[in-house]
Amino acid sequence: MPTPIYIIEEKKLRRNLALIAGVAAKADIEVILAFKAFALWKTFPIFKEYIRSTTASSLSEARLAYEAFGAPAHTYSPAYTDEEFDAIADCSSHLTFNSLSQYERFHKRAAGVSIGLRVNPEYSEVETLLYNPCAPGTRFGVTADKLPEQLPEDIRGFHCHCHCESGADVFERTLKHIEDNFARWFPQLEWINFGGGHLMTRKDYDVELLIRLMMGFHERYPWLKVILEPGSAFAWQTGPLVAHVVDIVEDKGIRTAILDVSFTCHMPDCLEMPYMPEVWVRGRGGTKVRGHEITTGTDISRTPAPPHPRTSDFVYRLGGNSCLSGDFMEYWQFDHELQVGEEVIFEDMIHYTTVKTNMFNGVRHPSIGMLHEDGKLEILREFDYTDYKNRMD
């Protein structure tokens, strides 16, 4: 097995797909895949057994939907351009505009496409501002006070995205704000897209509540087709990133296990969110040991020399292999002294990772593999020097 490597597990992927397809059937809604979270097109034959459509936010994603998934995309972009718009429209079944000005500029060039408008209910419970689409000053969507009472006749739907890996209880509260702000326009529409962030495959997600909410919505607005477009829900807990310890360094009492992967290149949400995955170490004897995150109560991870929470002799930062000073994740406690060559496994590293990786510093990019239900590992993609060189061409 080439390492480092992302491994998507077919059994877990099918588990998620079956759950999502079941929710869609019971709630009488359409659930589609958002490429911004997952776009491994070699898995699309599996997806097509469960869903019919995908959502795109760029020309490249729209082409991927049309050419690789085999169906036109539900497309939304904050900013369409003259150079790309016609090609995007050709690859789309639904096309949502971010603003009234973008609508005025382009809508006549979208003949045959179901046109929507993104709206902003000015309510979101996403706490991390970097991911909050309704934060003050947002560049996303039109607020109710800016909409005309009579919508342009070719606007067929509203798109509203307010969530990030949220529960059905959050959607219940958000839905009230959406209806309070925009229900008076619903009789003029044919569909409504409630966006992504509905993490229905998480263990504690209340699937039955989501179904009840959707059935109640249908009773109030039976003419509206409902669409959800989660990304994380499809690939949630479907596989790890496998790496190795390549060195141990120490400074000011802080020990860092340097790995053959990078957080800034291969796991950016660990720095941006910050997202803390489960971490396991498999020693040379084969034993798999879970690491335990140590919280210090304050965000000290980016300071030059933070105090070391030495609760035991086996506490380490996990350091990436790029030259970025902040390419590390802290602190993790293990039950033994880490050794060069030990395998480090980062769980749940398929969604919002493979789509966001980069080749900064030219560090080795992890391979991508699929563990099939019969136990065989198929290597879907390996990266080498030519991939880095061609990006600089």
Side-chain angles (χ1 to χ4, degrees):
M1 181 176 65
T3 56
I5 184 171
Y6 298 100
I7 301 176
I8 183 167
E9 300 178 45
E10 181 181 356
K11 182 177 180 179
K12 295 179 179 179
L13 177 63
R14 287 186 179 275
R15 174 201 62 198
N16 287 354
L17 285 163
L19 186 150
I20 290 169
V23 169
K26 291 177 182 178
D28 190 21
I29 61 176
E30 183 172 20
V31 184
I32 63 181
L33 168 66
F35 284 161
K36 68 177 182 178
F38 182 90
L40 295 180
W41 55 269
K42 290 182 180 178
T43 67
F44 288 175
I46 297 174
F47 275 80
K48 290 167 69 173
E49 297 178 29
Y50 301 87
I51 64 171
R52 298 190 304 272
S53 300
T54 60
T55 179
S57 295
S58 65
L59 175 55
S60 292
E61 287 188 344
R63 284 189 59 182
L64 193 69
Y66 193 77
E67 298 174 9
F69 195 84
H74 293 237
T75 304
Y76 158 80
S77 174
Y80 299 109
T81 63
D82 281 315
E83 295 80 7
E84 295 185 344
F85 184 81
D86 293 337
I88 288 175
D90 287 343
C91 295
S92 303
S93 61
H94 297 65
L95 198 152
T96 297
F97 292 101
N98 185 60
S99 66
L100 289 168
S101 57
Q102 282 259 299
Y103 164 80
E104 290 292 342
R105 184 176 175 185
F106 292 113
H107 76 103
K108 293 181 180 179
R109 292 162 58 179
V113 179
S114 186
I115 292 176
L117 190 67
R118 178 158 177 170
V119 293
N120 174 12
E122 303 178 83
Y123 178 85
S124 174
E125 297 186 19
V126 178
E127 296 181 355
T128 303
L129 286 181
L130 184 66
Y131 293 89
N132 187 341
C134 299
T138 182
R139 68 189 193 281
F140 297 132
V142 182
T143 51
D145 61 304
K146 294 183 175 67
L147 287 176
E149 286 302 315
Q150 183 62 43
L151 296 172
E153 63 179 9
D154 59 350
I155 290 181
R156 299 285 185 261
F158 278 170
H159 177 128
C160 186
H161 177 73
C162 308
H163 301 109
C164 179
E165 298 184 355
S166 303
D169 58 324
V170 177
F171 184 39
E172 182 176 30
R173 294 188 290 271
T174 305
L175 186 59
K176 182 179 186 306
H177 287 266
I178 295 172
E179 292 188 58
D180 287 347
N181 281 303
F182 299 107
R184 65 180 182 270
W185 286 283
F186 288 177
Q188 303 176 46
L189 303 177
E190 297 174 359
W191 54 266
I192 186 164
N193 184 330
F194 289 119
H198 307 272
L199 195 49
M200 60 188 76
T201 51
R202 188 176 61 197
K203 289 182 179 180
D204 62 348
Y205 190 95
D206 191 342
V207 170
E208 295 304 319
L209 174 58
L210 174 62
I211 294 171
R212 291 197 301 272
L213 290 173
M214 293 294 87
M215 297 308 295
F217 189 86
H218 288 316
E219 290 179 2
R220 297 189 295 278
Y221 317 103
W223 64 91
L224 282 179
K225 177 181 179 179
V226 176
I227 303 163
L228 302 184
E229 52 176 41
S232 294
F234 284 95
W236 183 259
Q237 295 288 350
T238 56
L241 171 60
V242 181
H244 284 89
V245 178
V246 296
D247 197 11
I248 306 290
V249 298
E250 183 169 346
D251 181 65
K252 302 293 190 296
I254 300 172
R255 283 181 298 181
T256 301
I258 299 181
L259 312 174
D260 57 357
V261 291
S262 163
F263 294 97
T264 190
C265 296
H266 310 136
M267 297 174 278
D269 278 356
C270 291
L271 303 184
E272 294 174 4
M273 192 66 173
Y275 165 66
M276 293 291 123
E278 290 188 8
V279 177
W280 301 80
V281 169
R282 186 175 4 241
R284 291 176 178 173
T287 304
K288 186 179 175 184
V289 178
R290 182 176 177 178
H292 295 277
E293 178 193 357
I294 297 175
T295 57
T296 59
T298 58
D299 182 12
I300 61 173
S301 62
R302 305 302 126 191
T303 57
H308 191 297
R310 190 175 286 281
T311 57
S312 82
D313 291 333
F314 308 129
V315 173
Y316 298 84
R317 279 180 174 173
L318 299 179
N321 61 345
S322 82
C323 291
L324 176 69
S325 297
D327 188 2
F328 62 84
M329 187 173 65
E330 62 179 5
Y331 285 107
W332 294 85
Q333 179 176 320
F334 300 95
D335 71 343
H336 66 282
E337 184 175 344
L338 298 186
Q339 302 292 322
V340 171
E342 286 188 301
E343 189 176 80
V344 180
I345 303 166
F346 295 90
E347 293 288 359
D348 196 21
M349 276 293 162
I350 303 301
H351 61 95
Y352 280 106
T353 47
T354 51
V355 293
K356 294 176 73 173
T357 61
N358 62 75
M359 290 187 168
F360 168 65
N361 245 184
V363 298
R364 181 179 179 181
H365 192 290
S367 301
I368 301 173
M370 172 172 279
L371 182 64
H372 290 288
E373 291 183 297
D374 62 5
K376 294 181 180 179
L377 178 67
E378 177 187 3
I379 303 301
L380 303 179
R381 182 74 157 88
E382 291 185 84
F383 300 86
D384 58 24
Y385 165 69
T386 57
D387 295 294
Y388 172 73
K389 181 183 178 184
N390 289 341
R391 286 172 61 90
M392 303 298 109
D393 189 353

